[in-house]
Amino acid sequence: MRTLLSSLLISTTGLALSPLPADSPPRGFFPQSVQAERDLEARFKSMPDPARMREAMRRLSARPHHVGSPYDKDNAEWILNEFKSYGWDAHIENFDVLFPTPLERIVELVAPTTFRASLQETALPNDPTSSQQSEQLPSYNAYSVDGDVTGPLVFVNYGIPADYDELEQRGISVKGAIVIAKYGGSWRGIKPKVAAEHGAIGCLIYSDPRNDGYAGGDVFPNGPMRPAQGVQRGSVADMPVYPGDPLTPGVGATKNAKRLTLAQAATITKIPVLPISYGDAQPLLAALGGPLAPDAWRGGLPITYRLGAGPARVHLRVKSDWSIKTLYDVIAKLPGTTEADQWIIRGNHHDAWVNGAQDPISGLVAELEEARALGALYKQGWHPKRTIIYAAWDGEEPGLLGSTEWVETHADELKAHAVAYLNSDTNSRGYFDAEGSHSLEKFINGVAMDVDDPEAGVSSWKRLQASRIVNGSPDVRKDARDREDLRISALGSGSDYSSFIDHLGIASLNLGYGGEDEGGIYHSIYDDFYWFTHFSDTAFVYERALAQAAGISVLRLANADLLPFAFTNLAETVQGYVKDLQSLRDRRAEQIADRNRLIDEGLYKFTSDPRDPIVAPQRQQPAPQLNFAPLLNAVDSLNHVAARYDKAYNSAVAQGRSAIAKSVNERLIQAERALTSSEGLKNRAWYVHMLYAPGFYTGYGVKTIPGVREAIEQGNWQDADREIARAAAAVEREATLVSSLAAMLGG
């Protein structure tokens, strides 16, 4: 948990914080436009109302509203009416998607003793909505294949590839077994995927209290942490292959869309899987024999953690209703004026696993307040240059369904018109966080400088800088002190931005506050209005801050004379990615050489404990050198032209040369697209961005220059050189485009 930094702490630490620019103008505005924009933003910032957001959350989270539920549709219609009342042109767009819901769930220990898991979260008398059991989705993992299996149990830690290497070294196979894995370490869908690849017949996933429970504090309802009966629902679709409807990859799931059969759907698991609570997991884990689990694998339960296999045997049964459900995407528009064919898109989803006050309503109520404030300005006579589109997506939780199907349906229009996509998902107390396209890094730093943090009494930017200096590593501290802009992280997957940036190459940002409300109610029945108003942003002041930050971002993008993209931060960041790849190759080469030497010298045999034996791993081919020259040359080109563009941009803005803006803006829209390849990534062509993607074996966590990185990690050396060339071509395309932009600005 991060330390709360009050304004007192910031003022008394003696830190030489870098000064903020003195009233620096918003990026992208010519001098003649700055004062009008500042006045507009001041009016906007005064409008978001915490009391309205609190009541909107109460209403939207009053009942379970998962995909296909009556209240999901009811919420969509209420949101539609809200947008219309704000003065927006709004409609609901429907898609028909595969969304399985559970019919049968059984987890039972059948040997050496018996135990049947309850698979039930307990209703609590002081938490009124937790008792809505007839409307709640039971705890399950969506897109688990049906199955009825019995086998020995094996504990696999987080269930990622490295954990299976550890088991193999100890001579433990999961072939024909049911594995039990802890949540964490990867996207949950990776766990059954890797288990199946190693021959397992079933998978259980539980929340260990060391990571998600009483080790972090008092459990709900006395505190915010996950109680013993709490379960994390969630999708296990293989979304690193493609997100969205499993039956319509690459095309929108409209009524007449051509659909795959269930057997053809690549993202449905190969083995049955269920999530369970740590209360249900404890008897299963306690029944395991075999070697002690490594220290790093052991959790917080009061048991001896062992690996198995056996003597515990488990029966797992999963059966679902595999029917098609209707999605309700709410789409609202404010038309632009002089550049109406350029679109600024903002979204947050409205569906939840259960009541979902934090996920997603905490993000959605901020978006609605932005829309209300923008609508009020519109009624008062302000009209944006560019068209603004606000979306409340359905079906995010099962697999980014609503946003993906909308993007796939409107792909050609979006490629032609979309300037940027701004996403949020959840929100809570703490620090401003932005992730996304590094061409927008300078822009979002400027926004953060102009939005106050409601607890610290300084800007959101300064509070985040202070946090990095106080709590960061030496490199992070130095970076936060010395660099003009605070770094933002890249995007992989995990929320509705994925289709925009990963599939179409639309510059994207994900925004939110957080870090001070550590809780353990994620995807459970306890994520509700009671929990949020007792343990999270109880005054809804960070809801207002998010509305201000995202709304100002939309205003600046919609009103800018010259779109506020910058490329020096992008070039610097990509240069860092390449250095990381070179270091990764060297580490892999050293690891392979060291392990091969241990094998050749027979040292595994000499150190094996007869009572806890290990076996030598397989010998690997030595790692070859890789040809990074094409990528290094491309990055050099991008560095050079990015500096040229920055100089030309500053000159054009200072001189107020508005005549050139329109033609430059038309080219700027394509800047992020230049980093994509129509061929896509190996084995997952849906992902076309050459710099960012979710990890194939980690899921949501972003992989930077993913084709190269994964080839090195997996020892596919021929692929690595090919992927280096492909990434280099993308960076060269970006450099060529930025060079043309600099020339258009006179640089």
Side-chain angles (χ1 to χ4, degrees):
M1 183 178 295
R2 298 186 193 181
T3 304
L4 176 62
L5 292 176
S6 66
S7 57
L8 177 63
L9 174 59
I10 294 172
S11 65
T12 58
T13 52
L15 297 174
L17 301 185
S18 301
L20 296 183
D23 197 28
S24 57
R27 185 172 178 86
F29 290 87
F30 295 142
Q32 60 267 30
S33 306
V34 169
Q35 190 57 52
E37 180 64 19
R38 288 293 194 195
D39 292 344
L40 182 71
E41 290 178 9
R43 289 160 59 198
F44 172 85
K45 284 198 291 186
S46 70
M47 293 181 182
D49 182 355
R52 287 183 61 93
M53 289 185 276
R54 181 185 180 92
E55 290 311 304
M57 177 179 285
R58 186 196 304 274
R59 194 269 176 218
L60 289 164
S61 65
R63 310 208 74 81
H65 50 105
H66 56 272
V67 169
S69 67
Y71 208 65
D72 182 59
K73 180 182 179 183
D74 189 83
N75 272 352
E77 292 171 345
W78 184 84
I79 293 166
L80 173 68
N81 290 331
E82 287 294 292
F83 275 122
K84 288 182 176 180
S85 74
Y86 305 154
W88 293 63
D89 178 12
H91 67 279
I92 288 177
E93 194 160 345
N94 297 125
F95 297 99
D96 296 308
V97 298
L98 179 71
F99 178 55
T101 53
L103 297 173
E104 295 183 46
R105 302 168 303 132
I106 296 173
V107 175
E108 56 186 350
L109 183 68
V110 296
T113 57
T114 60
F115 165 76
R116 184 155 179 153
S118 70
L119 306 180
Q120 179 68 50
E121 292 179 298
T122 307
L124 302 172
N126 52 345
D127 181 13
T129 61
S130 66
S131 63
Q132 297 167 339
Q133 294 179 350
S134 64
E135 300 173 59
Q136 296 164 356
L137 275 178
S139 55
Y140 81 117
N141 287 133
Y143 303 114
S144 163
V145 70
D146 290 348
D148 190 337
V149 295
T150 301
L153 190 66
V154 178
F155 176 49
V156 296
N157 194 29
Y158 292 118
I160 58 176
D163 296 328
Y164 286 89
D165 293 342
E166 179 79 25
L167 291 171
E168 182 182 1
Q169 193 170 338
R170 293 169 179 269
I172 297 172
S173 171
V174 302
K175 190 172 183 179
I178 295 172
V179 303
I180 182 167
K182 296 182 292 190
Y183 267 117
S186 75
W187 151 244
R188 73 180 73 79
I190 300 302
K191 301 172 192 295
K193 173 181 180 173
V194 178
E197 290 173 353
H198 286 80
I201 60 173
C203 178
L204 301 173
I205 313 175
Y206 81 102
S207 301
D208 195 282
R210 182 175 181 180
N211 309 114
D212 186 8
Y214 48 74
D218 292 335
V219 302
F220 191 69
N222 296 321
M225 306 310 296
R226 191 178 300 274
Q229 72 277 16
V231 183
Q232 182 189 140
R233 293 156 183 75
S235 174
V236 287
D238 196 358
M239 282 193 279
V241 175
Y242 60 86
D245 177 28
L247 303 185
T248 59
V251 298
T254 55
K255 287 191 180 298
N256 298 321
K258 184 178 179 180
R259 286 173 166 78
L260 303 176
T261 65
L262 281 178
Q264 293 171 321
T267 56
I268 295 173
T269 68
K270 304 299 187 289
I271 59 175
V273 53
L274 270 180
I276 61 175
S277 66
Y278 59 83
D280 279 341
Q282 182 170 333
L284 307 182
L285 292 166
L288 281 172
L292 287 172
D295 286 348
W297 290 32
R298 300 171 197 172
L301 293 169
I303 59 171
T304 300
Y305 282 76
R306 295 186 178 274
L307 300 176
R313 289 180 62 83
V314 167
H315 172 220
L316 167 63
R317 177 170 172 79
V318 178
K319 185 177 180 181
S320 292
D321 168 10
W322 291 85
S323 60
I324 301 293
K325 310 293 195 307
T326 299
L327 297 180
Y328 301 89
D329 284 348
V330 187
I331 309 297
K333 181 172 71 173
L334 282 181
T337 55
T338 58
E339 298 186 60
D341 61 345
Q342 296 179 2
W343 300 350
I344 311 302
I345 308 168
R346 165 81 171 99
N348 197 105
H349 71 101
H350 68 78
D351 69 294
W353 281 111
V354 196
N355 296 77
Q358 182 185 48
D359 183 9
I361 303 304
S362 63
L364 181 64
V365 295
E367 183 190 25
L368 290 174
E369 272 299 275
E370 298 160 35
R372 186 180 69 85
L374 292 172
L377 294 175
Y378 192 85
K379 292 174 182 177
Q380 294 166 14
W382 162 78
H383 291 171
K385 287 186 175 72
R386 297 175 182 85
T387 296
I388 300 173
I389 297 173
Y390 266 48
W393 308 114
D394 200 358
E396 189 271 355
E397 294 295 0
L400 318 182
L401 302 178
S403 57
T404 299
E405 302 314 314
W406 190 82
V407 166
E408 290 175 341
T409 299
H410 299 283
D412 291 341
E413 299 165 82
L414 290 165
K415 288 176 184 177
H417 301 295
V419 173
Y421 174 69
L422 304 177
N423 190 70
S424 59
D425 197 318
T426 63
N427 194 57
S428 59
R429 293 187 316 112
Y431 304 96
F432 180 69
D433 181 51
E435 309 161 288
S437 300
H438 289 89
S439 56
L440 290 172
E441 184 174 87
K442 187 171 290 293
F443 163 77
I444 201 61
N445 269 260
V447 171
M449 290 174 181
D450 290 331
V451 176
D452 289 341
D453 181 281
E455 286 183 344
V458 295
S459 73
S460 295
W461 186 93
K462 178 157 282 223
R463 189 174 194 226
L464 178 59
Q465 184 203 34
S467 171
R468 291 183 180 181
I469 294 172
V470 171
N471 300 318
S473 67
D475 287 344
V476 169
R477 291 180 182 184
K478 185 178 188 306
D479 212 47
R481 285 185 184 278
D482 299 342
R483 194 169 182 264
E484 181 180 16
D485 296 311
L486 297 175
R487 294 188 188 275
I488 66 173
S489 299
L491 290 173
S493 187
S495 193
D496 290 305
Y497 51 75
S498 186
S499 294
F500 292 91
I501 188 168
D502 294 331
H503 190 56
L504 296 188
I506 294 167
S508 300
L509 289 169
N510 189 59
L511 307 177
Y513 286 81
E516 291 177 342
D517 290 332
E518 301 299 330
I521 44 73
Y522 180 65
H523 289 186
S524 75
I525 68 171
Y526 310 118
D527 178 3
D528 56 22
F529 187 74
Y530 180 91
W531 182 91
F532 192 91
T533 54
H534 282 75
F535 299 108
S536 191
D537 181 21
T538 55
F540 284 69
V541 291
Y542 279 97
E543 299 300 306
R544 180 178 58 202
L546 175 58
Q548 291 172 334
I552 288 174
S553 298
V554 169
L555 279 172
R556 291 184 182 179
L557 287 165
N559 293 338
D561 299 314
L562 195 58
L563 286 170
F565 293 94
F567 302 99
T568 50
N569 290 8
L570 171 64
E572 178 197 0
T573 301
V574 176
Q575 188 169 39
Y577 294 162
V578 178
K579 290 179 180 178
D580 288 345
L581 290 173
Q582 292 175 301
S583 297
L584 176 63
R585 181 266 157 206
D586 293 344
R587 290 196 304 274
R588 289 288 292 130
E590 185 177 348
Q591 290 166 357
I592 291 169
D594 285 348
R595 190 161 74 166
N596 285 347
R597 183 177 180 184
L598 296 176
I599 295 168
D600 294 343
E601 294 174 347
L603 299 185
Y604 286 103
K605 178 175 65 177
F606 301 152
T607 58
S608 179
D609 182 346
R611 298 184 183 181
D612 188 8
I614 58 173
V615 296
Q618 294 293 313
R619 203 176 192 285
Q620 293 180 281
Q621 289 296 316
Q625 292 293 331
L626 297 176
N627 182 19
F628 283 101
L631 191 48
L632 291 168
N633 290 336
V635 172
D636 283 346
S637 296
L638 183 57
N639 263 311
H640 175 69
V641 299
R644 270 183 54 211
Y645 176 82
D646 208 38
K647 182 177 179 180
Y649 165 89
N650 289 334
S651 176
V653 167
Q655 296 170 30
R657 288 192 278 131
S658 57
I660 61 172
K662 186 172 179 61
S663 57
V664 174
N665 287 336
E666 289 171 353
R667 282 288 279 161
L668 275 167
I669 290 178
Q670 300 302 318
E672 196 80 21
R673 321 276 203 276
L675 294 167
T676 67
S677 168
S678 59
E679 184 182 345
L681 297 178
K682 183 179 179 182
N683 298 324
R684 44 185 181 145
W686 189 91
Y687 292 92
V688 302
H689 206 296
M690 294 293 99
L691 295 189
Y692 314 121
F696 195 62
Y697 279 114
T698 54
Y700 280 169
V702 66
K703 286 294 180 75
T704 53
I705 315 187
V708 181
R709 190 172 297 274
E710 290 178 350
I712 295 172
E713 289 172 343
Q714 297 166 24
N716 296 329
W717 304 109
Q718 287 184 329
D719 283 351
D721 272 329
R722 183 180 77 94
E723 293 298 327
I724 288 171
R726 293 181 67 216
V731 177
E732 283 289 3
R733 287 193 297 273
E734 182 78 348
T736 300
L737 187 144
V738 174
S739 178
S740 72
L741 289 166
M744 292 171 73
L745 290 174

